[in-house]
Amino acid sequence: MSIPLVDLGAAYARQRVDIDAAIAEVIGSAQFINGPQVAQFEAEFARFCGARHAIGVGSGTAAVHLALAALGIGPGDVVAVPAHTFIATVEPITWLGATPRFVDVDPATGCLDPEALKTVIDGVRAVVPVHLYGGLADLAAIAEIADAAGVPVVEDAAQAHGAQYTGPDGTARRAGTYARAGCFSFYPGKNLGAFGDAGAVTTDDDRLAQTVRMLRDHGRVAKYEHLVVGYAHRLDTLQAAVLRAKLGGLDAANERRRSLAQRYSRLLAGVGDLALPAEPPGRRGVHHLYVVRTAHRDELLAYLRGRGIGAGVHYPVPIHRQPAYAHLGVPAGALPAAEAWARECLSLPLYPELTEEQLARVTSTVTAFFETAG
Ligand SMILES: *Cc1c(COP(=O)(O)O)cnc(C)c1O
């Protein structure tokens, strides 16, 4: 009777025949590294996003690492990132010898706040907005500030495969194609998930694509010719085959997430002190997570878990308050909107196979919490 936060088993059951055949084909060919499925998936994912290039890499973290490395980010550089995100947005900046500059987020969306970015853009060498929970950051406003400063934007689209952003020019673009580069994760629980670690970088820039390709595979330009010191950040053939089998169902799965999210929002409107997800005009998200806010977060979380409902928190500690980044000395209270999100956010179960009945049980349990405990 319990309802998990995500249900990967249910997703596999739906696509089992195609996925098993794809895996068997790779095993039969024994081309586990750089097999033909890698380039095939890259072409198909580029087409899905509407990008000139997609370069398969080992993980979403590797995608951020390679995009920033290919843009020449290095020691002494400063890179602006939202403080409310998963730490993988930030670690690659540190690996490259650069320093993250944590920026506060929009109270309504949890994404990088352009107004806050404007006040800290001096000295920044790149900006990495995050399309959090499958919603979109305010790309046009962010790009305007970055363009004026002459620095590139790299989208962390790890949670936003297929999300759509309509800019002031009226053109609709998918996540990962508005800025210089987009970074995707195919971590198993993401909207498009592999059976292990996998990721991709998207870009329309031919030279940047070529550099990412070289860097992901030991700085190689031929089998034993290494132009630069690169990385071991390739996409596995097996993962590419799994991703190809799943990509065709992604748009329908995203639509199902949208419809479930709208149902959540109808059933939870006006319940307790809940703040429901916001979608500003021109942005069409893919609801990687359904995240509400409440001042009673910890009590509601315990109440739901006690009743078999797998609620979660993404993310309980903003990155500037993580021990790993204590050395930067950003004090508590410095980024109040990010800190409020971390204190109040709660993710309810959401995945394409969630049934209307399961969803209704979640919303009635949330409602009961506010009527009794809240
Ligand atoms: C999942 C995720 C990443 C990292 O992706 P991995 O594939 O796990 O390395 C980066 N940024 C965000 C926002 C993510 O959600």
Side-chain angles (χ1 to χ4, degrees), residues 207-290:
R207 278 196 51 192
L208 192 68
Q210 198 180 8
T211 306
V212 170
R213 272 182 205 290
M214 180 173 69
L215 288 175
R216 76 170 167 180
D217 193 13
H218 303 287
R220 230 176 216 145
V221 287
K223 187 157 174 69
Y224 292 118
E225 189 181 351
H226 306 275
L227 209 58
V228 294
V229 178
Y231 302 94
H233 278 341
R234 293 178 301 231
L235 172 63
D236 269 8
T237 311
L238 272 171
Q239 301 305 341
V242 170
L243 291 166
R244 288 191 74 207
K246 295 176 84 172
L247 182 60
L250 180 55
D251 277 328
N254 282 341
E255 278 311 309
R256 172 73 182 159
R257 286 175 182 271
R258 270 191 78 80
S259 128
L260 290 167
Q262 284 162 2
R263 198 178 184 88
Y264 261 132
S265 292
R266 272 200 308 277
L267 294 170
L268 291 175
V271 171
D273 70 339
L274 287 182
L276 305 178
E279 189 163 74
R283 302 184 222 178
R284 190 177 162 82
V286 289
H287 299 278
H288 171 57
L289 294 167
Y290 185 85

Side-chain angles (χ1 to χ4, degrees), residues 59-61 85-86 88-89 130 156 158-159 185-187 190 197-198 315:
S59 68
T61 317
T85 183
F86 181 54
T89 312
V130 178
D156 181 339
Q159 304 186 358
S185 166
F186 307 121
Y187 182 87
K190 298 287 162 76
D197 281 311
Y315 299 90

Side-chain angles (χ1 to χ4, degrees), residues 15-200:
Q15 298 177 298
R16 172 175 224 137
V17 173
D18 291 345
I19 292 172
D20 286 2
I23 291 173
E25 190 186 342
V26 177
I27 294 173
S29 76
Q31 292 194 66
F32 297 109
I33 301 295
N34 295 338
Q37 289 85 354
V38 173
Q40 287 161 356
F41 171 69
E42 289 175 336
E44 288 158 6
F45 190 66
R47 196 175 320 124
F48 172 87
C49 294
R52 252 175 92 74
H53 305 277
I55 303 102
V57 302
S59 68
T61 317
V64 177
H65 191 194
L66 291 169
L68 292 177
L71 287 167
I73 299 301
D77 290 336
V78 173
V79 178
V81 285
H84 180 56
T85 183
F86 181 54
I87 196 167
T89 312
V90 187
E91 288 167 308
I93 298 166
T94 307
W95 295 343
L96 291 165
T99 306
R101 181 167 292 169
F102 297 111
V103 184
D104 212 356
V105 298
D106 179 339
T109 63
C111 295
L112 183 75
D113 178 4
E115 291 306 314
L117 177 65
K118 205 178 289 176
T119 66
V120 299
I121 192 74
D122 256 5
V124 162
R125 266 275 282 125
V127 181
V128 186
V130 178
H131 302 313
L132 200 67
Y133 310 145
L136 290 136
D138 191 354
L139 286 168
I142 291 165
E144 192 181 323
I145 296 161
D147 287 351
V151 301
V153 175
V154 172
E155 297 170 49
D156 181 339
Q159 304 186 358
H161 325 70
Q164 192 170 290
Y165 180 86
T166 305
D169 65 355
T171 308
R173 296 184 182 84
R174 284 193 159 181
T177 66
Y178 191 94
R180 273 292 285 286
C183 303
F184 289 88
S185 166
F186 307 121
Y187 182 87
K190 298 287 162 76
N191 289 36
L192 179 61
F195 284 4
D197 281 311

